[in-house]
Amino acid sequence: MSSKPRQIVVTSALPYANGPIHIGHMLEYVQTDIWARFQKLRGHECVYVCADDAHGTPIMLRAQGEGITPEALIERMHKEHSKDFADFGVAFDNYYSTHSDENRYFSEYIYTQLREAGHIRTRVISQAYDPKAEMFLPDRFIKGECPNCGTGDQYGDNCESCGATYAPTDLKNPISVVSGETPIEKDSEQYFFKLENFEDMLKKWFADGHVQTEIANKMNEWLDEGLQDWDISRNAPYWGFEIPDAPGKYFYVWLDAPIGYMASFKNWCESSGHDFDTYWNRDSETELYHFIGKDIARFHTMFWPAMLHGSGFRKPSAVYCHGFLTVDGQKMSKSRGTFIMARTYLDHLNPEYLRYYFAAKLGPGIDDIDLNLEDFTARVNSDLVGKLVNIASRCAGFINKRFDGKLADELSSDDLSRHTVSAAETIAEYYENREFGKAMRDIMALADKANQFIDEKQPWVAIKDENRHSEVQDTCSIGLNCFRQLVILLKPVLPRLVAEAEKFLNAGNQSWDDLDKDLLGHSINRFQPLMTRVEPVSIKRIIEASKQDLVSERKIQQAVADQSNNSTIEEIAEEIVYDDFAKLDLRVAKIVGAKKVEKSDKLLQLTLDIGSETRNVFAGIAAAYKPEDIEGRLTVMVANLAPRKMRFGISEGMVLCAGSDDNELYLLNPESGAEPGMRIS
């Protein structure tokens, strides 16, 4: 460890405030969080900032589709994103929004500095225009065939297949995502950033190793082709910041989005008393690192450094790109249920399972990461439960029951401890270089050694001999001290498990410097299970819940697409085919019990008899029915709906109602003669 603490600012790419966080997003935030936590564990000052990317046409259109203001949408998304990140253990020092006074200030300042230095020009260009929606179309609201490789269904700025970038007007067979119309071309004056002015600076910056080799090679290809002006303006209507002295023109979202890093850090400085300029002036000796996906490398490694350099700020120390997340070897799929929202995962599984699995798979390159669900289950159960937690559970019982919770005053051997300390520096290098997979491999090898030591000593045999009780205390004390070292090494990855382990060990907040400080003659607390096994049923429930998420998402997307026709989300019904309907198992059910759900104004808890069994179902009918009025009635339920975990318990189906709102609902009621369990056909 260096003698002088480092001053580090680290960021992740800004999540777009147009929808929820999914586990593909979480790969990046977990990677960044692990690295930032490691730096803090080593005693460095590391400030982790991020923000919602809150501007752009997609947000404007979604807000219109929902019948709310853009401000209301981004405020709601900010709360949802913040909770998802917090529940996944992502510890931002500041999580902000690009729709802020600080971001407006820095966007205008950087633009003005660039303009005064001669790096901005205007010219009239032909742009894609939707004649039905009567608006110029942003790049991402035009789709067509890539002009380079011919791949279909590509956006108007770059091809996800071959990586080519182009103007929206270059697309073949383009359509407007807003209306489905074929765009026309219409002239408009726009503002451009003269990127070519920074060609020499960028070449040197790439050569100096500030980006990964694969990314530098790709960027140098674009440099060799010659840099083009970058269009940084958009026409009204547009949700964002208006360009100073340019009425009706707005900053393109990709100009003010990365500036959001500065705005969030400035907001942190104002609340913490730090000096912004110390970190962001051109001659700063502090460090700045960006973690991003490889799909947005060009913005972060060409446009962003050029903007900073041209306006007098420091450039990033490094930009670290990562690959995409696949599930079971394929692109995440909504229809297969592998496009998993962060909240859906959190409803069913411990987030630290996924943090560990990502860590075990991550390296410093840009290769895609695969979440193999079978391997995920096996690795978590083997490594975390079968190896790590097993050390504590095997040793704690003997210490608690036979030795009043007290560890030995001295240890007969420090071989395990010294071996772990000697391995720690290599593990630290792995963390520093983002080689998390190698770090996890070495840590689990240390856990194997600890378990092997316990197996050899067999304290469960020795405890039967009164003359060997001190040997048992010694063995278990060595084991628990090794466990303490392992949780220190894993603290960046498993912060919550480690916090519980620290409580159990009664050891306080452990740091990297505590690795070689054994607990001797020390009292521990009673052991409580630190982690349980992943059960396959939980994986199945996540898949089923993710398929259900698709229905509501399609409604929102349709409402956004139809916003010009004043459609609202409630008016959209998804069309299905007969085969979809045939999957439903509709049964006659008798309501044998009904009661109100505490702390809910909408729900009743129903006990339904369907002939062969009874089911527990939560139904949002409390505004229309009193419990005593529906007990004994027959109704219709969906019997093959996957169980859903709710805050109040598990709901094992769904009753069918008709109506227009919560107060005017009518339970479907089979004719007399129907019996519980009869299938509806």
Side-chain angles (χ1 to χ4, degrees), residues 364-421:
I366 62 171
D367 294 335
D368 292 347
I369 306 298
D370 186 51
L371 170 58
N372 180 287
L373 295 173
E374 184 175 337
D375 179 56
F376 166 79
T377 301
R379 186 174 300 211
V380 169
N381 290 345
S382 172
D383 290 0
L384 297 186
V385 181
K387 295 180 182 181
L388 178 69
V389 173
N390 193 41
I391 298 170
S393 63
R394 298 175 85 184
C395 297
F398 293 111
I399 296 295
N400 286 137
K401 293 176 183 178
R402 299 302 181 99
F403 306 102
D404 296 324
K406 188 175 181 181
L407 302 179
D409 292 329
E410 58 181 353
L411 305 178
S412 64
S413 171
D414 64 352
D415 288 350
L416 275 179
S417 177
R418 286 190 294 105
H419 184 76
T420 301
V421 170

Side-chain angles (χ1 to χ4, degrees), residues 116-134:
E116 295 302 312
H119 301 308
I120 303 293
R121 67 159 58 105
T122 62
R123 70 170 186 264
V124 175
I125 62 170
S126 183
Q127 289 183 289
Y129 183 83
D130 187 325
K132 183 176 181 180
E134 298 183 338

